[in-house]
Amino acid sequence: MTVALMWEARAVDGRGEELLAWARAQALPLAPLRRETFRAPQDRVLVITWWDAGLDAELPELPEPGAELASRAVHRWRFESVGSE
């Protein structure tokens, strides 16, 4: 089974590039099958990692950035793949 972990944070005003660089620099203790980083309006950063694991597996996740970078708590979601169309 493939599981996707999504991590999304919103930067403090004007610190979007710093939050993006911070997220890209975060190493995980295990390598996922795939990792992608995105940015969006309002200085939001999204990181998706894909894992060969069950939906409830213990997997490494990106930490919370410091309050100087993030304007709110990180949002996290898990999805399991149901195949491609």
Side-chain angles (χ1 to χ4, degrees):
M1 172 184 309
T2 302
V3 173
L5 277 72
M6 297 178 66
W7 176 100
E8 187 260 344
R10 185 170 176 184
V12 170
D13 285 340
R15 305 217 40 202
E17 287 300 319
E18 290 173 76
L19 179 61
L20 176 62
W22 180 91
R24 294 178 89 182
Q26 298 308 298
L28 295 169
L30 299 172
L33 298 172
R34 182 173 163 193
R35 176 176 171 164
E36 283 192 65
T37 305
F38 302 85
R39 68 171 142 204
Q42 300 176 328
D43 288 331
R44 290 178 291 142
V45 175
L46 172 69
V47 179
I48 305 174
T49 56
W50 285 262
W51 303 88
D52 183 17
L55 190 60
D56 59 351
E58 265 191 56
L59 297 168
E61 297 192 43
L62 272 65
E64 292 275 338
E68 73 282 358
L69 284 180
S71 64
R72 59 163 167 73
V74 168
H75 292 174
R76 300 170 192 272
W77 302 274
R78 284 184 178 221
F79 296 90
E80 70 179 304
S81 175
V82 293
S84 57
E85 303 297 316

